[in-house]
Amino acid sequence: MIQLSEAGKRFGPRILFEDLNWLITPKERVGIVGANGTGKSTLLKVLAGIEHLDYGSVNSTKGIRAGYLPQDGINLTGRTVFAECMSVFDSLRALEQEQKDLAHRMAELDHESYEYRQIAERYHQAQDEFTSRDGYNIESRVGGVLTGLGFARSDWERRVEEFSGGWQMRIALAKLLLEEPNLLLLDEPTNHLDIEARDWLEHYLANYPNAFILISHDRYFLDVTVSKIAEIWNKRVYLYTGGYSKYETQKTERRLQLEAAYKNQRERIEALEAFINRFRAQATKAKQVQSRIKELEKIERIEVPPDEKTIHFRFPQPKPSGRIVAEFRNVSKSYGSKPVFSGASFNIERGDRIALVGVNGAGKSTLIKLLSGEEPISSGEYVLGHNVEPDYFAQDQYKALNPESSIFDDLGSVAPRASNTELRTILGSFLFSEDDVFKKIGVLSGGERNRYALARMLMMPGNFLLLDEPTNHLDIRAKDVLLTALRDFTGTVVFVSHDRYFLDQLATRVIEVADGAVTAYPDNYEDYIWRKSGGGSVVVAQPKAPASKLVQQSKPQQQQKAQPQPQTQQAKPAQASGRLNPIKLRQMKERQRSIEDEVTRLEVEIADFEQALAHYQSAEQSIEIASLLESRRTDMTNLLAEWEEVSAAIDANR
């Protein structure tokens, strides 16, 4: 269908890729991956005919139609959403109108006339074409795609210019899907989709009749939609069969094979060179020396590309907060007469990693802004815990930055005591090296903006991280590094993300915002999906007893409370035998390590309080210290009990 031969593309003096030979077949399903800036979007534009090659050629079969969806920049005006999507079928609607006109003319003509027979023949041709192109179902097709991409029926008659950029991208995606081009080219189509719309798109692409090539940083989406991975790495394009998980395995195997071949070749080259140098001056060995010189010249040297650069960092570990980090008590939020949610009551405890989920517009970002203090609550009570320091990362964090400032100067203003070397080290960790550190914030790409915003937050860490779509525009490896850093973070994290792998691996609790209510689900995101599908009961978020009351409770009451509640911790059918799935087992091991770290910190605190009690200053202070000491000892008792349960579960699965 399309063939690239010796294809190469430059960006200024830098080569993006070269020597690409690729035949794209009519049923191709390919995901393009690679680090930010390697040329993924450029390759897609070459296939769409928007960009031209600097080397080689691209040839396509006559009549091939390529449909291209960019990352952003779509600006639609002038029609309703439904009319905009129906415009895809203008030729079909013209054919329908032609049938009506022909039928009207036939009604006025003599059925025996030559003109009637000509018009009747054309009418039947138009009718057959209209039927073969499924012309009678175009309205239902448009409605199905709009519904799948998250448009309510009431949105269909709204004008397209009323929608934000993300929703306009959905409209553009809907039009492309309805057009069904021979080659569908999608540049990060999931960026503006919530999980429900993403699930629908996965099913739609599974049944797409033609070829498609897409760029995505969502490994789960790649696993279920594509059958081939094209990786741009080290100025080359490498093709792998299978989804993203198979690609990772094959890439590791390929590199091991390459390193082994390189080692064997180096040994052979060194042996040849040693023989040549040893016997070059001996006339009796001249023939053997010349033979080895020729062999050495014919060897095509194997090169092992350098390891890929990726961001690497750890969040500075914060000072510990109180056990209860934040508490919502019957909180409601509305904008004027429009309610977002009401009656929200829940606690966030130290060490929680809570995923906020819900469809776009349900109120996830609003809830995280309330937690950060960026927005006021409308009613109810929001209590922030002892020693809690919130740190908020917004979706559009870069908008608060000065676009005319260089990233080096801006980071220096956040950390005035940091040396130039320290600033460069931080920026280098986020792939800003050499002259890149002097880039203006206003010229950074989407991925660069997010990387820099994360680096900036590193300089001012809090112990209560509130992250709204931190993975947007990050490539898969950068997401993995951020995931590792957040899992090692000893503070508390509340986050919004539409990346299911990120959700699966990070969340220890889930809070859903939907239909004006806030609902809590115990355990991780996998457990949330299981419960949503009917596998368990739903738990409406309710506040737990505040820390001051926990201190006053007797030990038996505390130990009883620490036990899992039957209605919220039902065993899944797959675990009836006591066996845990790999994800659950891994999370149990992480929780075991987290408890061990927490116990170590509590031991230090308990020792400090005991030492403070030994130095009497006042009765009031002694009472306060004794209360805090009892609270820490209670926490220690509960943690040790939990550690024993977790350890027993892990041992049972060895």
Side-chain angles (χ1 to χ4, degrees), residues 243-292:
Y244 189 84
S245 297
K246 288 186 178 179
Y247 144 75
E248 284 190 306
T249 302
Q250 291 175 37
K251 181 177 180 180
T252 301
E253 293 173 352
R254 175 181 282 186
R255 186 170 183 90
L256 290 174
Q257 292 170 356
L258 185 64
E259 288 173 349
Y262 174 79
K263 181 181 177 182
N264 292 336
Q265 188 183 75
R266 286 305 309 164
E267 290 174 353
R268 179 58 182 164
I269 289 172
E270 288 169 5
L272 291 172
E273 289 175 342
F275 184 91
I276 293 167
N277 292 333
R278 182 178 179 184
F279 297 108
R280 187 187 298 273
Q282 295 185 21
T284 57
K285 297 285 187 178
K287 188 174 181 180
Q288 294 95 319
V289 168
Q290 287 301 315
S291 173
R292 283 162 174 75

Side-chain angles (χ1 to χ4, degrees), residues 319-330:
K319 63 182 182 182
S321 65
R323 182 182 180 87
I324 302 299
V325 173
E327 184 177 1
F328 264 31
R329 300 171 184 166
N330 200 32

Side-chain angles (χ1 to χ4, degrees), residues 27 29 180 200-210 212:
K27 293 293 183 179
R29 278 154 164 67
E180 291 189 353
W200 178 87
L201 180 60
E202 288 169 4
H203 293 298
Y204 191 94
L205 291 177
N207 298 305
Y208 190 71
N210 301 319
F212 64 80

